[in-house]
Amino acid sequence: MGCKKIRISINKDLAITNLVGVNINKEFMPSVANIVGTNLTNYKIIKKNQFVYNNMQVARDRTIRIVRYADETPSIMSPAYKIFQVIDKNTLNAEFLMLYFLRPEFDRLCWFYTDSSIRGSLDWVKFCSLEVPVLPINIQEKIVNIYNFINERIYLKNKINKNLEEQLSLLFNDWFVNCTPFKNEELIKSEWGVVPESWKDIEFGELIEITSGNRPDEKSEDKTSEFNIPLFGASKIMGYTKEYSYNEDILIIGRVGTHGVVQRVNYPCFPSDNTFVIKSDYYGFVYQLLKRIDYDSLNTGSTQPLITQKSLKTVNAVLPDEKILSKFEMISKTIFDKIQLNNDEISKLTKLRDTLLPKLMSGEIDVSKINCYFLFQIFQLNFLAFHN
């Protein structure tokens, strides 16, 4: 498949200090290693369109950590990683090769060839012996274009959602932290800060109803027709279960372990036993408050971070007058609805991408007959029909 081991030495003139690693999702991530005072002579440089892979823990993770480097600016990596690149670019497109590596079938193939060690490693020689189906280069490029077209749409929707979240956060700061619209009113000092006289200092518990999550009877790491209810952990979906415990607007935060990540959910779900589930009549307002709490100050754990319902309930908060709260809730709902609509589209685009890719690469769908603009028009019609 054009695998070639590359020996790269540090170019001292480049002074590259951006150290990266590879995570289980086949993505680059900033390394947590402290390289201050470290001799980087043996570290490797990774450049655009080169691949890096970690041959360890393939069987344990049920995936191989491999990714194509897409940035123009090089980074450095631990000597433990293998770095390779495509030799004949007229025969094999690097982006197409990465799409092949992303397929679950490739992970299963790598798993099959792992050794008998506890974590199951895949050595370099065996990795290079794996065969990759190579389509005509023009077909490879067309498949890459279709994949990138869908991904760019997903990226755009995620970016819009991030901007919407930031707008709402800025509005909260302007109204309830800086009190900009109320400068002409009588202001007083409070535990929250300088606020209008009509506002009240309260404990957070007066705004919320809080309960702990539960441990499901059965769970699955993968989503299936039977296990299709998201199982929420402290910071993300950690699997799936059969039954839901909530089907309403709730906020989920970590009780044990990860703190500070606020997950907003409005569909059937099952919060795990390492979470708190929070409800409130002031959903948008409480969501913003939860993102600003200093969770480290609430930690009561000795071996790992732990917060209690009592410590969370006694956090200082403020209760503005009903008129301004209602107005903020109305704006929040409008923004949340836009975010949800984008999330629905992201979900459908992701499903389309993941369903279409193996069919394109296997030749089941004739890629020469697919036009990206036509594909988008079909998706838009189906998406609108879904929401109407």
Side-chain angles (χ1 to χ4, degrees), residues 209-222:
E209 174 188 331
I210 181 170
T211 54
S212 297
N214 297 296
R215 186 184 298 270
D217 294 331
E218 297 180 84
K219 67 176 182 178
S220 168
E221 292 184 3
D222 301 314

Side-chain angles (χ1 to χ4, degrees), residues 252-272:
I252 301 173
I253 63 168
R255 180 181 69 85
V256 181
T258 303
H259 295 149
V261 178
V262 187
Q263 301 174 90
R264 194 177 63 247
V265 188
N266 63 350
Y267 49 83
C269 66
F270 197 109
S272 71

Side-chain angles (χ1 to χ4, degrees), residues 206-360:
E206 297 179 52
L207 289 172
I208 63 173
E209 174 188 331
I210 181 170
T211 54
S212 297
N214 297 296
R215 186 184 298 270
D217 294 331
E218 297 180 84
K219 67 176 182 178
S220 168
E221 292 184 3
D222 301 314
K223 186 176 182 180
T224 66
S225 58
E226 185 178 14
F227 291 87
N228 54 18
I229 301 298
L231 174 63
F232 278 86
S235 62
K236 61 182 180 180
I237 293 175
M238 55 184 292
Y240 297 88
T241 187
K242 295 181 178 180
E243 305 290 339
Y244 65 83
S245 52
Y246 292 91
N247 186 18
E248 57 191 301
D249 288 342
I250 60 171
L251 300 167
I252 301 173
I253 63 168
R255 180 181 69 85
V256 181
T258 303
H259 295 149
V261 178
V262 187
Q263 301 174 90
R264 194 177 63 247
V265 188
N266 63 350
Y267 49 83
C269 66
F270 197 109
S272 71
D273 55 349
N274 66 342
T275 67
F276 282 142
V277 178
I278 295 172
K279 302 179 188 178
S280 176
D281 292 334
Y282 307 111
Y283 187 71
F285 183 73
V286 166
Y287 173 63
Q288 295 297 325
L289 287 177
L290 282 170
K291 294 199 298 180
R292 289 162 173 78
I293 289 175
D294 179 10
Y295 292 96
D296 288 339
S297 66
L298 306 181
N299 178 31
T300 61
S302 56
T303 57
Q304 64 176 326
L306 171 69
I307 59 175
T308 65
Q309 291 190 27
K310 181 179 179 180
S311 63
L312 188 61
K313 287 180 179 180
T314 55
V315 169
N316 291 329
V318 66
L319 181 64
D321 63 68
E322 183 63 31
K323 183 178 179 181
I324 191 66
L325 260 181
S326 296
K327 188 174 182 180
F328 184 77
E329 288 302 308
M330 181 180 64
I331 296 172
S332 295
K333 186 179 185 309
T334 300
I335 290 179
F336 289 159
D337 287 346
K338 290 179 180 178
I339 291 174
Q340 185 59 51
L341 190 64
N342 287 334
N343 283 336
D344 289 343
E345 183 170 346
I346 290 168
S347 178
K348 286 197 163 291
L349 282 166
T350 302
K351 185 176 181 179
L352 172 65
R353 180 197 65 192
D354 296 344
T355 302
L356 194 61
L357 180 60
K359 295 180 182 295
L360 292 174

Side-chain angles (χ1 to χ4, degrees), residues 349-386:
L349 282 166
T350 302
K351 185 176 181 179
L352 172 65
R353 180 197 65 192
D354 296 344
T355 302
L356 194 61
L357 180 60
K359 295 180 182 295
L360 292 174
M361 298 190 75
S362 67
E364 184 178 341
I365 296 178
D366 185 355
V367 69
S368 64
K369 297 180 180 180
I370 296 182
N371 177 279
C372 287
Y373 178 75
F374 181 64
L375 180 68
F376 177 67
Q377 292 298 317
I378 291 176
F379 171 78
Q380 285 290 83
L381 289 173
N382 288 335
F383 183 73
L384 290 173
F386 171 77

